[in-house]
Amino acid sequence: MNAEQAVETLDLLEREGLVAWVDGGWGVDALVGTQTRPHADLDLVIPKGAVPAVRSLFVEEGFEVVRDWLPSALALRHPDGREVDLHPVDPTADGGGEQVHRDGRRWHYDKPVAGSIGGRRVLCCSLATQIRAHVGYEPSEDDRADMRLLADRFGSELPAPYGDPAPGSVTILTGPPGAGKTTVARLLVEDLPRGVHLDADAFYHWIRRGWIAPWLPESRAQNTTVIDVIAGAAVGYAQGGYDVVVDGIVGPWFVEPFIREAAAGRVTLRYVVLRPTLDVSLARATGRGKEALVEEAPILRMYDEFCDLGSYEPFVVDTTDMTAEDSAALVRARVARHEFDLPDWRA
Amino acid sequence: MTAVEDIAAWVAGLSAANLPADVVDLCRDQRRSVLGAVAA
């Protein structure tokens, strides 16, 4: 549907006394006042009561119904290739309208605004309506292009999954006690131009009263709070442009707060589990100084929790026969290949 | 097929070109009236 055909279609409706609002891709181009890409169809918002008359008008013009999704949409195509997609609405007091989806949900169109197609003044969906209409599903390349266009033209901040990623990243480096997390984290951060080594244990140690050993069953609420705080801090650093390595016990059961924070902050998130054999883990952990956890029972229990990680097994690095330097090098290489990336908020 | 089905099939196959011009004009007026009422 080219600009001339779009204008002809709008003229046809206006001759019959109806001013439709332009939605969809043509709506975006109408907002910016110029055609930026080809459009397969012309999306039009019309009052619900006008649907039978508009349908009759298009049929008389030679269009045929190709998709009847009423009450939410009705698509018609002309043998010459023109296609219109009608979006019926109940007019609302604010000058906008409400579309009823097929599942019964209602979608609100704000009051339309002035735009132009091919130099002709048209009514089109507002910037806010367009941005709202583009979230909650997997966007196409056209959707991404449309949103970038609106952001560039109007300076609007785009919601996920359209905004630019934050400049930093968060890498959760975890594993059982004695896995080598702290040493490897230190090596990873040393290599970064702007790096943060976030020691998760410190967040537990800062609790001065009411602290519960985090490996005890009754510590669950405390641990949930602490993990939420760590996730927030890590993402905060990443949004400031730092690459953050979170060093601590963060089993898959505690990854969700990081995924949530990273998605909200548009931050790249990685998950790495260092897991040597039990013998090596135990020997390293119990060989530390008095400050560290050297009791075998909690170490064994935590090791057990990292033994079968299900869908997180691909994130495991076996460091049994590796030096810390080798482990760090391997982690760096696999990070570069995106092998540790967690579900991408941009996807 | 019953007579009613025959008639229904015939009606369903009609287009504006098959109708008398004055009938088509009346239909268009009716359509404009509906759209005018919606727009009002």
Side-chain angles (χ1 to χ4, degrees):
Chain A
M1 179 77 98
N2 61 35
E4 194 180 336
Q5 291 170 327
V7 168
E8 280 172 8
T9 305
L10 292 166
D11 285 344
L12 171 68
L13 291 171
E14 283 201 21
R15 279 198 299 275
E16 298 293 312
L18 185 74
V19 180
W21 318 338
V22 184
D23 191 8
W26 264 121
V28 170
D29 279 353
L31 264 178
V32 299
T34 183
Q35 185 176 359
T36 60
R37 64 174 178 86
H39 300 288
D41 64 0
L42 177 65
D43 293 277
L44 296 174
V45 181
I46 62 171
K48 189 172 74 179
V51 170
V54 171
R55 177 184 187 146
S56 149
L57 179 63
F58 279 124
V59 168
E60 192 182 345
E61 288 294 313
F63 285 78
E64 287 180 6
V65 174
V66 289
R67 195 171 54 254
D68 184 343
W69 283 357
L70 291 173
S72 62
L74 181 72
L76 302 104
R77 186 184 298 139
H78 194 276
D80 67 10
R82 283 177 291 159
E83 189 167 328
V84 290
D85 201 352
L86 304 175
H87 302 277
V89 294
D90 284 317
T92 51
D94 63 354
E98 281 205 335
Q99 180 186 28
V100 179
H101 288 181
R102 296 173 84 199
D103 60 6
R105 284 180 302 119
R106 299 179 81 83
W107 163 257
H108 182 73
Y109 282 92
D110 295 340
K111 185 179 180 181
V113 298
S116 73
I117 295 177
R120 179 201 192 277
R121 189 179 180 282
V122 301
L123 282 182
C124 59
C125 293
S126 69
L127 175 65
T129 298
Q130 282 286 6
I131 290 176
R132 270 193 297 116
H134 280 78
V135 297
Y137 64 95
E138 173 70 34
S140 66
E141 273 312 303
D142 281 344
D143 290 323
R144 291 182 188 279
D146 286 348
M147 289 296 97
R148 277 196 301 272
L149 177 68
L150 294 179
D152 290 346
R153 184 59 61 94
F154 299 106
S156 45
E157 184 137 331
L158 294 178
Y162 296 99
D164 292 330
S169 67
V170 173
T171 302
I172 301 169
L173 187 68
T174 190
K181 299 183 293 293
T182 301
T183 312
V184 173
R186 201 174 292 137
L187 290 168
L188 291 173
V189 171
E190 275 175 7
D191 249 21
L192 299 169
R194 301 184 81 195
V196 171
H197 180 174
L198 207 62
D199 174 12
D201 285 351
F203 287 76
Y204 289 92
H205 295 156
W206 291 334
I207 300 174
R208 291 301 180 194
R209 293 183 61 79
W211 181 83
I212 303 167
W215 53 87
L216 298 177
E218 58 268 33
S219 67
R220 184 167 179 79
Q222 166 197 279
N223 298 351
T224 301
T225 300
V226 173
I227 290 291
D228 284 345
V229 172
I230 296 170
V235 168
Y237 275 121
Q239 286 182 299
Y242 295 92
D243 288 307
V244 183
V245 179
V246 178
D247 155 25
I249 306 283
V250 184
W253 54 92
F254 272 143
V255 167
E256 185 53 39
F258 285 89
I259 292 176
R260 198 173 55 237
E261 289 285 340
R266 304 200 291 269
V267 162
T268 299
L269 179 64
R270 307 183 192 98
Y271 189 61
V272 184
V273 182
L274 304 183
R275 191 179 65 195
T277 59
L278 174 60
D279 289 348
V280 170
S281 183
L282 208 52
R284 287 181 190 161
T286 55
R288 293 169 172 166
K290 286 178 186 168
E291 294 292 310
L293 173 66
V294 294
E295 291 173 51
E296 274 199 22
I299 295 172
L300 288 172
R301 191 161 57 247
M302 282 190 267
Y303 188 91
D304 195 46
E305 288 175 335
F306 279 97
C307 269
D308 181 11
L309 297 181
S311 61
Y312 285 91
E313 277 296 321
F315 297 89
V316 171
V317 176
D318 183 351
T319 59
T320 303
D321 298 317
M322 299 172 77
T323 63
E325 286 76 13
D326 290 343
S327 301
L330 180 62
V331 170
R332 272 189 222 103
R334 291 185 61 182
V335 163
R337 294 197 296 270
H338 300 283
E339 291 179 12
F340 295 127
D341 289 5
L342 278 176
D344 195 337
W345 57 267
R346 286 163 294 188
Chain B
M1 255 193 172
T2 64
V4 171
E5 287 170 326
D6 283 339
I7 294 168
W10 170 72
V11 169
L14 289 177
S15 70
N18 303 118
L19 301 176
D22 56 337
V23 173
V24 172
D25 284 343
L26 278 172
C27 291
R28 286 177 180 149
D29 287 346
Q30 174 67 13
R31 191 167 63 205
R32 286 195 190 98
S33 168
V34 169
L35 288 174
V38 167

